[in-house]
Amino acid sequence: MATEMAAVCYPPTRFHHVHGTNICIDPSRTQATRVESFANGLCFSQEPLEPGQIFLVEIEEKELGWCGHLRVGLTAHDPQSLDVVPEYSLPDLVNMGDTWVFAITRHHNRVTPDESEARVQGFLSEPYLLIEQVRIPRDKLVGRSRPNQYSHILDDLYKMNVLPPTARRSRIGVLYAIRPDGTADMHIIINGEDMGPSARSLPTSRPFYAVIDVFASTKSVRVIQVEYGFLSLQTLCRLVIQKHVVHRLAIDGLNLPPLLKNFCKYE
């Protein structure tokens, strides 16, 4: 098992050069910004995802005045093959078939599991996200609020996450896991928590591209690269330090290099 976990390695995730007409992709292809209106914000992963590979983005910028939020999912359509990128992921891209998209809301994103599959876990009680045979360290998956003088009162992000799914700095990802029968389930991950299989028994005869629809009040997102297998030594050090402080502001009083302090505070 240790050998298998250490061997998991995926190339960096990027946005595809094919995208909606209102989207601007930065030169690194890791940031997508909708420059006008509320639609035509469709983006895709540059490459098809492997089973268990997550395409993770962080919400960088919001725009007031629109109703609706980020939409994420999977499609078996190669973006290169699209004559025209649809205006919306829902319903336009979904209506083309072989596409599954989930609209993120401020509340009620969790898919109710079957009673036989129900499992209650405290947030971050387990340092790894476990889905079928997929195992991903949670640390990079979790969005963090910026620490301030009220952090010790308003949040304790080492034990629980208080960022709403649609808030700035929230991290949202999509992956698929292979089922015993050879089909796949799509999972939406919000700040380190699996929302459950939002689409079941997807056919795996064609590769899946991630779908990111920078829709309505979500204006800009950035791709986050994820660690797989074992936690890095840097992350393990942060976890040890976090266990010995009351809240993030207490890190400032430790006799540590400034760069390490900032890393421990997720800055």
Side-chain angles (χ1 to χ4, degrees):
M1 175 63 75
T3 302
E4 292 177 0
M5 295 309 300
V8 175
C9 182
Y10 300 115
T13 49
R14 301 279 188 270
F15 286 116
H16 203 285
H17 65 84
V18 174
H19 52 73
T21 56
N22 285 338
I23 284 292
C24 177
I25 303 290
D26 79 332
S28 70
R29 289 191 183 171
T30 60
Q31 184 186 54
T33 303
R34 194 185 68 253
V35 295
E36 63 177 321
S37 184
F38 65 94
N40 285 301
L42 211 49
C43 302
F44 306 93
S45 59
Q46 178 174 276
E47 303 290 342
L49 299 182
E50 296 291 337
Q53 181 185 14
I54 185 171
F55 194 89
L56 183 71
V57 298
E58 179 175 294
I59 298 175
E60 283 208 322
E61 190 176 349
K62 305 274 294 182
E63 186 171 58
L64 299 176
W66 304 115
C67 181
H69 305 281
L70 187 71
R71 297 167 171 182
V72 300
L74 297 171
T75 183
H77 295 283
D78 184 341
Q80 196 89 12
S81 69
L82 297 175
D83 294 329
V84 177
V85 177
E87 184 176 7
Y88 305 100
S89 59
L90 286 170
D92 300 3
L93 185 62
V94 170
N95 285 345
M96 294 174 61
D98 293 328
T99 300
W100 304 265
V101 174
F102 191 89
I104 305 300
T105 64
R106 186 177 175 86
H107 307 288
H108 310 302
N109 291 293
R110 185 177 299 281
V111 178
T112 303
D114 297 332
E115 290 185 3
S116 60
E117 297 177 342
R119 180 174 63 170
V120 178
Q121 286 186 328
F123 183 74
L124 296 187
S125 60
E126 161 63 47
Y128 294 94
L129 174 68
L130 302 174
I131 303 174
E132 299 292 341
Q133 301 302 313
V134 179
R135 170 175 161 147
I136 306 174
R138 290 182 189 267
D139 190 70
K140 282 288 190 73
L141 305 180
V142 182
R144 315 279 177 171
S145 63
R146 291 192 180 278
N148 56 56
Q149 61 180 325
Y150 301 111
S151 291
H152 63 293
I153 300 173
L154 298 180
D155 67 58
D156 186 1
L157 288 175
Y158 306 140
K159 296 185 179 123
M160 62 181 295
N161 175 52
V162 296
L163 276 180
T166 58
R168 286 183 63 250
R169 298 173 67 87
S170 187
R171 294 186 177 183
I172 298 170
V174 59
L175 61 80
Y176 68 95
I178 302 297
R179 297 167 57 94
D181 63 2
T183 63
D185 286 347
M186 180 178 79
H187 290 256
I188 304 300
I189 313 302
I190 299 180
N191 290 320
E193 287 191 284
D194 175 23
M195 298 294 105
S198 52
R200 292 178 178 269
S201 301
L202 279 58
T204 55
S205 56
R206 296 164 62 188
F208 296 120
Y209 290 81
V211 175
I212 304 293
D213 192 352
V214 187
F215 178 70
S217 64
T218 304
K219 184 174 180 63
S220 182
V221 298
R222 176 171 57 91
V223 174
I224 302 296
Q225 306 303 331
V226 177
E227 296 175 347
Y228 294 89
F230 294 110
L231 296 170
S232 67
L233 180 59
Q234 189 179 38
T235 298
L236 287 172
C237 290
R238 173 161 62 189
L239 291 174
V240 171
I241 292 171
Q242 289 173 353
K243 287 181 180 179
H244 293 84
V245 296
V246 177
H247 56 80
R248 284 179 291 179
L249 290 183
I251 293 174
D252 289 328
L254 300 178
N255 186 22
L256 297 172
L259 286 178
L260 182 55
K261 288 183 182 180
N262 292 339
F263 178 75
C264 291
K265 293 188 295 182
Y266 299 94
E267 295 183 338

